[in-house]
Amino acid sequence: MDGIGEESSPRNPLALPWDRFSAWLHAICVVGFDLELGQTVEALYPPHANLTDKEKTSICYLSFPDSNSGCLGDTQFCFRFRQSTGRRASLHCANDLTDRESPVYLKKDPACFYGYVYFRQVRDKTLKRGYFQKSLVLISKLPYINFFHTVLKQLAPEYFERSEPCLEAACSDIDRWPSPVPGKTLTLPIMGVVIKVRIPTRYDKPGTTQMVELSQQSEAQISVTLPTIHEVDLFRCFSPVLFHIQMVWELVLLGEPLVVMAPSPSQSSETVLALVGCISPLKYCSDFRPYFTIHDTEFKEYTTRTQAPPSVIFGVTNPFFAKTLQHWPHIIRIGDVKLAGDVPKQVKVKKLKNLKTLDSKPGVYSSYKPYLNRDEEIIKQLQKGVQQRRPTEAQNAILRRHFLELTQSFIIPLERYVAGLMPLLKSVCAWKSPPQLKPFSQEEFMKSLERAGPQLTSALKGDWIGLYRHFLRSPNFDGWFRMRRKEMMQKLEALHLEALCNEDLLMWVQKHTEVEAVDLVLKLKNKLAQAQREELPVKAETLEKLRNHVCAIIDELPEDLQGILLKTAHS
């Protein structure tokens, strides 16, 4: 039982205080409303949590719905904001493992924090304002949306009833959790409830959900089992624009500027997160803001008319944005949540000039012409599901599978072409630097589509070539290709290490001068350091064998040189 075993394991005496808490969360904030100061951070946990004044200001503004939202009762939503410049990354080895083994779309964002909010607004005549307004906010680097919203559902109601001691107890609970290691089923106690989760790994087959079963004895303790830690309900988010899912997928794939205008922060944030997730397993590489306000530090940067709108997706609820963002090329207007039995009637994309206020009719406002034909089958299938009251989980699974197959059909030809940029194995020589990758040629790639294009896996017709040409100019291609290039270069370095390992280095040393032998030792040490630093995909036994080679070469050298080389080993 890896989850239970880790949960109860004793803390490493060398570990830093609150290291387990920090693996999951940066801080827990309580944001309240003061008549003179406005929104303020009333409490911050744990005691060592550090946030700059700028970060606190961002959290304060983003933790409350806009006044026009009229959110009475309890509301949950998510936001994302830039961390202050100059902040040092405080990642320990467990977090490195989390990132290394995670799929690209679940890796921590080095430049941003996520804020997971539970906001309560209820009438209270004893308060001058007439309302009790407060938010409990979890600040984290991890994009585990579903998981943290579930944690808040357990924690926030308790906090609103019992106040501060409850948060101290929660911090202690979280600080006893095992690290968020991908591939393991974890049981995480919080406020008397046990949450069972499995964090996906980079090796999982896309579109599958793997849960490791616990024994019956352990299962009796589980209060909440989460089938996913990060996915939102795609069908619920896309149902208002059901006829345009093909077009919306293209806009996200191409990194086009996109605004979601919604009546509430929960709809705004869920829709933005659904958009970002619809091209999975491809990572959305541009900026995105699930909930954006006029007080945001990037407000001027993102709403200026002096330059073209940037590649960003953000969600808004303030009517002011309907006027401010009229120059944006693509806007999705979401109405109030409809009943599950309602089928959206809108078929045509609306013109941007028709969007005057946030009260405009729901729909997609854009002059964009999709490259691919609309998939009528998926729309009919989902509409039929609505009419027959098919469970939303099933509708969600159908739509998620559609997007996955569409993205895979698009990306497989690119993967196949880029794999061909790898030099032949026989070109890797121990006594030469690793060979270079062939350059990416757009024209060669386009030619490859004739025989091995998306038509092999997708029946969708349209201008696939045009879509690829546009994609190759997008931030998503740039981010994807950088990652693939890095992986391939690391593979070449690993193959070079294996080639060195298979050579008779002692024989080589005996045929060369001492100067050349010392040079070889230093190069091998650099290679070993690089393998550890960059976590190259090399077998442990290969590295051990190479270390033994280094030691054997040093033993063959005169004592004065041995002393110098051994010193460099420890410096």
Side-chain angles (χ1 to χ4, degrees), residues 32-80:
F33 188 87
D34 183 280
L35 282 171
E36 292 180 8
L37 303 173
Q39 282 123 259
T40 58
V41 175
E42 296 180 347
L44 193 60
Y45 289 90
H48 75 279
N50 68 315
L51 291 166
T52 66
D53 288 343
K54 188 177 179 182
E55 288 166 346
K56 286 181 183 176
T57 301
S58 292
I59 292 167
C60 283
Y61 283 126
L62 290 165
S63 296
F64 272 41
D66 281 313
S67 55
N68 66 288
S69 298
C71 297
L72 268 178
D74 293 352
T75 305
Q76 283 192 259
F77 59 95
C78 167
F79 61 82
R80 184 171 171 269

Short mmCIF file of all heavy atoms in Angstrom, two decimals, residues 32-80:
data_model
loop_
_atom_site.label_atom_id
_atom_site.label_comp_id
_atom_site.label_asym_id
_atom_site.label_seq_id
_atom_site.Cartn_x
_atom_site.Cartn_y
_atom_site.Cartn_z
N GLY A 32 -10.53 38.55 3.59
CA GLY A 32 -11.77 39.13 4.07
C GLY A 32 -11.98 40.52 3.50
O GLY A 32 -11.15 41.02 2.73
N PHE A 33 -13.09 41.17 3.91
CA PHE A 33 -13.38 42.51 3.41
C PHE A 33 -13.42 43.49 4.57
O PHE A 33 -14.09 43.27 5.57
CB PHE A 33 -14.73 42.54 2.67
CG PHE A 33 -15.00 43.84 1.97
CD1 PHE A 33 -14.53 44.05 0.68
CD2 PHE A 33 -15.68 44.86 2.61
CE1 PHE A 33 -14.75 45.26 0.03
CE2 PHE A 33 -15.91 46.08 1.96
CZ PHE A 33 -15.44 46.27 0.67
N ASP A 34 -12.66 44.57 4.41
CA ASP A 34 -12.62 45.64 5.40
C ASP A 34 -13.22 46.89 4.76
O ASP A 34 -12.88 47.24 3.63
CB ASP A 34 -11.17 45.89 5.83
CG ASP A 34 -11.06 46.95 6.91
OD1 ASP A 34 -11.12 48.15 6.58
OD2 ASP A 34 -10.92 46.57 8.09
N LEU A 35 -14.13 47.57 5.48
CA LEU A 35 -14.82 48.74 4.91
C LEU A 35 -13.85 49.84 4.49
O LEU A 35 -14.09 50.57 3.54
CB LEU A 35 -15.83 49.29 5.91
CG LEU A 35 -17.15 48.51 6.01
CD1 LEU A 35 -17.98 49.02 7.17
CD2 LEU A 35 -17.93 48.61 4.71
N GLU A 36 -12.74 49.98 5.21
CA GLU A 36 -11.77 51.03 4.88
C GLU A 36 -10.71 50.55 3.89
O GLU A 36 -10.32 51.26 2.98
CB GLU A 36 -11.08 51.53 6.16
CG GLU A 36 -12.03 52.28 7.09
CD GLU A 36 -11.32 52.77 8.35
OE1 GLU A 36 -10.08 52.66 8.40
OE2 GLU A 36 -12.00 53.26 9.26
N LEU A 37 -10.24 49.32 4.08
CA LEU A 37 -9.12 48.82 3.27
C LEU A 37 -9.55 48.00 2.07
O LEU A 37 -8.75 47.73 1.18
CB LEU A 37 -8.18 47.97 4.15
CG LEU A 37 -7.61 48.67 5.39
CD1 LEU A 37 -6.84 47.67 6.24
CD2 LEU A 37 -6.68 49.81 4.95
N GLY A 38 -10.81 47.57 2.04
CA GLY A 38 -11.25 46.68 0.96
C GLY A 38 -10.82 45.25 1.26
O GLY A 38 -10.78 44.84 2.43
N GLN A 39 -10.49 44.48 0.24
CA GLN A 39 -10.09 43.09 0.44
C GLN A 39 -8.68 43.03 1.05
O GLN A 39 -7.77 43.69 0.58
CB GLN A 39 -10.11 42.32 -0.89
CG GLN A 39 -11.51 41.90 -1.33
CD GLN A 39 -11.91 42.42 -2.69
OE1 GLN A 39 -12.64 43.39 -2.78
NE2 GLN A 39 -11.44 41.76 -3.73
N THR A 40 -8.54 42.22 2.10
CA THR A 40 -7.24 42.09 2.77
C THR A 40 -6.98 40.63 3.13
O THR A 40 -7.90 39.85 3.34
CB THR A 40 -7.19 42.92 4.08
OG1 THR A 40 -8.25 42.47 4.94
CG2 THR A 40 -7.34 44.40 3.82
N VAL A 41 -5.68 40.29 3.21
CA VAL A 41 -5.29 38.96 3.70
C VAL A 41 -5.36 39.00 5.22
O VAL A 41 -4.58 39.67 5.88
CB VAL A 41 -3.87 38.58 3.22
CG1 VAL A 41 -3.43 37.25 3.85
CG2 VAL A 41 -3.82 38.46 1.70
N GLU A 42 -6.34 38.30 5.79
CA GLU A 42 -6.55 38.31 7.24
C GLU A 42 -5.67 37.30 7.97
O GLU A 42 -5.33 37.48 9.14
CB GLU A 42 -8.01 38.03 7.57
CG GLU A 42 -8.96 39.10 7.05
CD GLU A 42 -10.41 38.79 7.40
OE1 GLU A 42 -10.72 37.65 7.82
OE2 GLU A 42 -11.25 39.70 7.24
N ALA A 43 -5.34 36.22 7.28
CA ALA A 43 -4.51 35.18 7.90
C ALA A 43 -3.74 34.44 6.82
O ALA A 43 -4.19 34.33 5.68
CB ALA A 43 -5.39 34.20 8.68
N LEU A 44 -2.56 33.93 7.22
CA LEU A 44 -1.68 33.24 6.30
C LEU A 44 -1.09 32.04 7.01
O LEU A 44 -0.53 32.17 8.11
CB LEU A 44 -0.58 34.20 5.84
CG LEU A 44 0.29 33.82 4.64
CD1 LEU A 44 -0.54 33.63 3.40
CD2 LEU A 44 1.35 34.91 4.41
N TYR A 45 -1.22 30.86 6.41
CA TYR A 45 -0.69 29.63 7.01
C TYR A 45 0.13 28.88 5.96
O TYR A 45 -0.16 28.98 4.77
CB TYR A 45 -1.85 28.73 7.49
CG TYR A 45 -2.57 29.26 8.69
CD1 TYR A 45 -3.67 30.10 8.54
CD2 TYR A 45 -2.15 28.94 9.97
CE1 TYR A 45 -4.34 30.61 9.64
CE2 TYR A 45 -2.81 29.42 11.08
CZ TYR A 45 -3.90 30.25 10.91
OH TYR A 45 -4.56 30.75 12.02
N PRO A 46 1.14 28.09 6.42
CA PRO A 46 1.69 27.98 7.77
C PRO A 46 2.53 29.21 8.12
O PRO A 46 2.67 30.10 7.28
CB PRO A 46 2.55 26.71 7.68
CG PRO A 46 2.97 26.65 6.25
CD PRO A 46 1.83 27.22 5.46
N PRO A 47 3.11 29.25 9.32
CA PRO A 47 3.80 30.46 9.78
C PRO A 47 4.93 30.93 8.86
O PRO A 47 5.17 32.12 8.74
CB PRO A 47 4.37 30.05 11.15
CG PRO A 47 3.51 28.90 11.59
CD PRO A 47 3.07 28.19 10.36
N HIS A 48 5.60 29.99 8.19
CA HIS A 48 6.75 30.38 7.37
C HIS A 48 6.36 30.86 5.96
O HIS A 48 7.20 31.32 5.20
CB HIS A 48 7.71 29.19 7.20
CG HIS A 48 7.20 28.15 6.25
ND1 HIS A 48 6.27 27.20 6.62
CD2 HIS A 48 7.45 27.94 4.93
CE1 HIS A 48 5.99 26.44 5.57
NE2 HIS A 48 6.69 26.86 4.54
N ALA A 49 5.08 30.73 5.60
CA ALA A 49 4.65 31.07 4.23
C ALA A 49 5.00 32.51 3.91
O ALA A 49 4.67 33.43 4.65
CB ALA A 49 3.15 30.85 4.09
N ASN A 50 5.69 32.69 2.78
CA ASN A 50 6.07 34.06 2.42
C ASN A 50 5.46 34.44 1.08
O ASN A 50 5.57 33.72 0.09
CB ASN A 50 7.61 34.20 2.37
CG ASN A 50 8.24 33.43 1.22
OD1 ASN A 50 7.88 32.28 0.99
ND2 ASN A 50 9.15 34.05 0.50
N LEU A 51 4.77 35.55 1.09
CA LEU A 51 4.20 36.13 -0.12
C LEU A 51 4.59 37.60 -0.17
O LEU A 51 4.57 38.28 0.85
CB LEU A 51 2.67 36.01 -0.12
CG LEU A 51 2.07 34.61 -0.26
CD1 LEU A 51 0.59 34.62 0.10
CD2 LEU A 51 2.25 34.08 -1.68
N THR A 52 4.98 38.09 -1.34
CA THR A 52 5.33 39.50 -1.46
C THR A 52 4.06 40.34 -1.39
O THR A 52 2.95 39.82 -1.57
CB THR A 52 6.05 39.78 -2.79
OG1 THR A 52 5.12 39.55 -3.86
CG2 THR A 52 7.27 38.87 -2.97
N ASP A 53 4.22 41.63 -1.16
CA ASP A 53 3.05 42.52 -1.11
C ASP A 53 2.29 42.49 -2.43
O ASP A 53 1.05 42.53 -2.46
CB ASP A 53 3.49 43.96 -0.79
CG ASP A 53 3.94 44.11 0.66
OD1 ASP A 53 3.61 43.22 1.47
OD2 ASP A 53 4.65 45.09 0.96
N LYS A 54 3.04 42.41 -3.53
CA LYS A 54 2.41 42.38 -4.86
C LYS A 54 1.58 41.11 -5.03
O LYS A 54 0.46 41.13 -5.56
CB LYS A 54 3.49 42.47 -5.95
CG LYS A 54 2.94 42.65 -7.35
CD LYS A 54 4.07 42.79 -8.36
CE LYS A 54 3.53 42.96 -9.77
NZ LYS A 54 4.61 43.06 -10.79
N GLU A 55 2.12 39.98 -4.55
CA GLU A 55 1.40 38.71 -4.64
C GLU A 55 0.16 38.73 -3.76
O GLU A 55 -0.91 38.26 -4.16
CB GLU A 55 2.33 37.56 -4.25
CG GLU A 55 3.39 37.26 -5.31
CD GLU A 55 4.51 36.37 -4.82
OE1 GLU A 55 4.65 36.17 -3.58
OE2 GLU A 55 5.29 35.87 -5.66
N LYS A 56 0.28 39.32 -2.56
CA LYS A 56 -0.89 39.43 -1.67
C LYS A 56 -1.98 40.28 -2.31
O LYS A 56 -3.17 39.96 -2.21
CB LYS A 56 -0.48 40.02 -0.33
CG LYS A 56 0.29 39.05 0.57
CD LYS A 56 0.64 39.73 1.89
CE LYS A 56 1.48 38.81 2.77
NZ LYS A 56 1.92 39.48 4.01
N THR A 57 -1.58 41.37 -2.96
CA THR A 57 -2.55 42.24 -3.63
C THR A 57 -3.29 41.47 -4.73
O THR A 57 -4.52 41.55 -4.86
CB THR A 57 -1.84 43.48 -4.24
OG1 THR A 57 -1.19 44.20 -3.19
CG2 THR A 57 -2.83 44.40 -4.93
N SER A 58 -2.53 40.71 -5.52
CA SER A 58 -3.15 39.90 -6.59
C SER A 58 -4.15 38.91 -5.99
O SER A 58 -5.27 38.76 -6.50
CB SER A 58 -2.08 39.14 -7.38
OG SER A 58 -1.27 40.02 -8.12
N ILE A 59 -3.74 38.23 -4.93
CA ILE A 59 -4.61 37.24 -4.29
C ILE A 59 -5.89 37.89 -3.77
O ILE A 59 -6.99 37.36 -3.94
CB ILE A 59 -3.85 36.51 -3.15
CG1 ILE A 59 -2.74 35.63 -3.75
CG2 ILE A 59 -4.80 35.66 -2.30
CD1 ILE A 59 -1.73 35.12 -2.72
N CYS A 60 -5.75 39.06 -3.15
CA CYS A 60 -6.92 39.76 -2.60
C CYS A 60 -7.95 40.07 -3.69
O CYS A 60 -9.15 39.80 -3.54
CB CYS A 60 -6.48 41.06 -1.93
SG CYS A 60 -5.74 40.81 -0.31
N TYR A 61 -7.50 40.65 -4.80
CA TYR A 61 -8.43 41.04 -5.86
C TYR A 61 -9.04 39.83 -6.57
O TYR A 61 -10.19 39.86 -7.00
CB TYR A 61 -7.74 41.95 -6.88
CG TYR A 61 -7.56 43.36 -6.40
CD1 TYR A 61 -6.31 43.98 -6.40
CD2 TYR A 61 -8.65 44.10 -5.93
CE1 TYR A 61 -6.14 45.29 -5.95
CE2 TYR A 61 -8.50 45.40 -5.48
CZ TYR A 61 -7.25 45.99 -5.49
OH TYR A 61 -7.10 47.28 -5.04
N LEU A 62 -8.24 38.76 -6.72
CA LEU A 62 -8.71 37.61 -7.47
C LEU A 62 -9.54 36.64 -6.63
O LEU A 62 -10.17 35.73 -7.17
CB LEU A 62 -7.51 36.86 -8.07
CG LEU A 62 -6.78 37.61 -9.19
CD1 LEU A 62 -5.42 36.98 -9.47
CD2 LEU A 62 -7.62 37.60 -10.47
N SER A 63 -9.55 36.82 -5.31
CA SER A 63 -10.25 35.88 -4.42
C SER A 63 -11.72 36.21 -4.21
O SER A 63 -12.44 35.43 -3.60
CB SER A 63 -9.55 35.82 -3.06
OG SER A 63 -8.26 35.31 -3.19
N PHE A 64 -12.15 37.38 -4.69
CA PHE A 64 -13.55 37.78 -4.57
C PHE A 64 -14.18 37.90 -5.96
O PHE A 64 -13.55 38.44 -6.88
CB PHE A 64 -13.67 39.13 -3.86
CG PHE A 64 -13.75 39.04 -2.36
CD1 PHE A 64 -12.95 38.16 -1.66
CD2 PHE A 64 -14.61 39.86 -1.64
CE1 PHE A 64 -13.00 38.08 -0.27
CE2 PHE A 64 -14.67 39.79 -0.25
CZ PHE A 64 -13.87 38.90 0.44
N PRO A 65 -15.41 37.44 -6.13
CA PRO A 65 -16.11 37.67 -7.40
C PRO A 65 -16.35 39.16 -7.59
O PRO A 65 -16.42 39.92 -6.62
CB PRO A 65 -17.43 36.93 -7.22
CG PRO A 65 -17.21 35.97 -6.09
CD PRO A 65 -16.21 36.63 -5.19
N ASP A 66 -16.48 39.59 -8.86
CA ASP A 66 -16.88 40.97 -9.13
C ASP A 66 -18.25 41.20 -8.52
O ASP A 66 -19.08 40.29 -8.47
CB ASP A 66 -16.95 41.22 -10.64
CG ASP A 66 -15.58 41.45 -11.24
OD1 ASP A 66 -14.81 42.22 -10.66
OD2 ASP A 66 -15.28 40.83 -12.27
N SER A 67 -18.52 42.43 -8.10
CA SER A 67 -19.78 42.74 -7.41
C SER A 67 -21.00 42.42 -8.28
O SER A 67 -22.06 42.06 -7.78
CB SER A 67 -19.81 44.21 -6.99
OG SER A 67 -19.58 45.04 -8.11
N ASN A 68 -20.82 42.51 -9.62
CA ASN A 68 -21.96 42.26 -10.51
C ASN A 68 -22.32 40.78 -10.61
O ASN A 68 -23.38 40.42 -11.11
CB ASN A 68 -21.65 42.79 -11.92
CG ASN A 68 -20.53 42.00 -12.58
OD1 ASN A 68 -19.38 42.14 -12.18
ND2 ASN A 68 -20.86 41.18 -13.56
N SER A 69 -21.42 39.91 -10.14
CA SER A 69 -21.67 38.47 -10.27
C SER A 69 -22.83 38.02 -9.39
O SER A 69 -23.50 37.02 -9.69
CB SER A 69 -20.42 37.66 -9.90
OG SER A 69 -19.37 37.97 -10.78
N GLY A 70 -23.04 38.72 -8.28
CA GLY A 70 -24.15 38.39 -7.39
C GLY A 70 -24.08 36.98 -6.83
O GLY A 70 -25.09 36.26 -6.79
N CYS A 71 -22.87 36.56 -6.44
CA CYS A 71 -22.68 35.19 -5.94
C CYS A 71 -23.08 35.10 -4.47
O CYS A 71 -22.29 35.41 -3.57
CB CYS A 71 -21.22 34.77 -6.10
SG CYS A 71 -20.67 34.70 -7.80
N LEU A 72 -24.31 34.69 -4.21
CA LEU A 72 -24.75 34.46 -2.83
C LEU A 72 -24.53 33.00 -2.48
O LEU A 72 -24.65 32.12 -3.32
CB LEU A 72 -26.23 34.82 -2.68
CG LEU A 72 -26.54 36.26 -2.25
CD1 LEU A 72 -28.05 36.46 -2.20
CD2 LEU A 72 -25.93 36.62 -0.91
N GLY A 73 -24.19 32.77 -1.21
CA GLY A 73 -23.92 31.40 -0.79
C GLY A 73 -22.46 31.06 -0.98
O GLY A 73 -21.59 31.91 -0.81
N ASP A 74 -22.16 29.81 -1.35
CA ASP A 74 -20.79 29.35 -1.51
C ASP A 74 -20.45 29.21 -2.99
O ASP A 74 -21.24 28.69 -3.78
CB ASP A 74 -20.59 27.99 -0.83
CG ASP A 74 -20.70 28.10 0.69
OD1 ASP A 74 -20.77 29.25 1.19
OD2 ASP A 74 -20.69 27.07 1.38
N THR A 75 -19.26 29.70 -3.36
CA THR A 75 -18.79 29.66 -4.74
C THR A 75 -17.34 29.16 -4.77
O THR A 75 -16.53 29.60 -3.96
CB THR A 75 -18.82 31.07 -5.39
OG1 THR A 75 -20.14 31.60 -5.27
CG2 THR A 75 -18.42 31.03 -6.85
N GLN A 76 -17.05 28.26 -5.69
CA GLN A 76 -15.67 27.80 -5.86
C GLN A 76 -15.17 28.14 -7.26
O GLN A 76 -15.91 27.99 -8.24
CB GLN A 76 -15.58 26.29 -5.65
CG GLN A 76 -15.61 25.89 -4.18
CD GLN A 76 -15.22 24.43 -3.99
OE1 GLN A 76 -16.08 23.58 -3.82
NE2 GLN A 76 -13.93 24.16 -4.01
N PHE A 77 -13.94 28.62 -7.32
CA PHE A 77 -13.33 28.91 -8.62
C PHE A 77 -11.81 28.88 -8.49
O PHE A 77 -11.28 28.63 -7.40
CB PHE A 77 -13.83 30.25 -9.19
CG PHE A 77 -13.58 31.46 -8.32
CD1 PHE A 77 -12.45 32.26 -8.51
CD2 PHE A 77 -14.48 31.82 -7.32
CE1 PHE A 77 -12.24 33.38 -7.72
CE2 PHE A 77 -14.26 32.95 -6.53
CZ PHE A 77 -13.14 33.73 -6.73
N CYS A 78 -11.16 29.15 -9.60
CA CYS A 78 -9.70 29.04 -9.64
C CYS A 78 -9.13 30.26 -10.36
O CYS A 78 -9.76 30.78 -11.29
CB CYS A 78 -9.32 27.75 -10.37
SG CYS A 78 -7.61 27.61 -10.84
N PHE A 79 -7.97 30.73 -9.94
CA PHE A 79 -7.28 31.78 -10.69
C PHE A 79 -5.80 31.44 -10.80
O PHE A 79 -5.31 30.49 -10.18
CB PHE A 79 -7.49 33.17 -10.05
CG PHE A 79 -6.97 33.32 -8.63
CD1 PHE A 79 -5.64 33.58 -8.38
CD2 PHE A 79 -7.84 33.23 -7.54
CE1 PHE A 79 -5.16 33.74 -7.08
CE2 PHE A 79 -7.39 33.39 -6.24
CZ PHE A 79 -6.04 33.65 -6.00
N ARG A 80 -5.10 32.21 -11.62
CA ARG A 80 -3.66 31.98 -11.85
C ARG A 80 -3.01 33.34 -11.97
O ARG A 80 -3.53 34.22 -12.66
CB ARG A 80 -3.51 31.16 -13.14
CG ARG A 80 -2.11 30.72 -13.51
CD ARG A 80 -2.20 29.73 -14.68
NE ARG A 80 -0.90 29.41 -15.24
CZ ARG A 80 -0.33 30.06 -16.23
NH1 ARG A 80 -0.96 31.08 -16.81
NH2 ARG A 80 0.85 29.70 -16.69
#
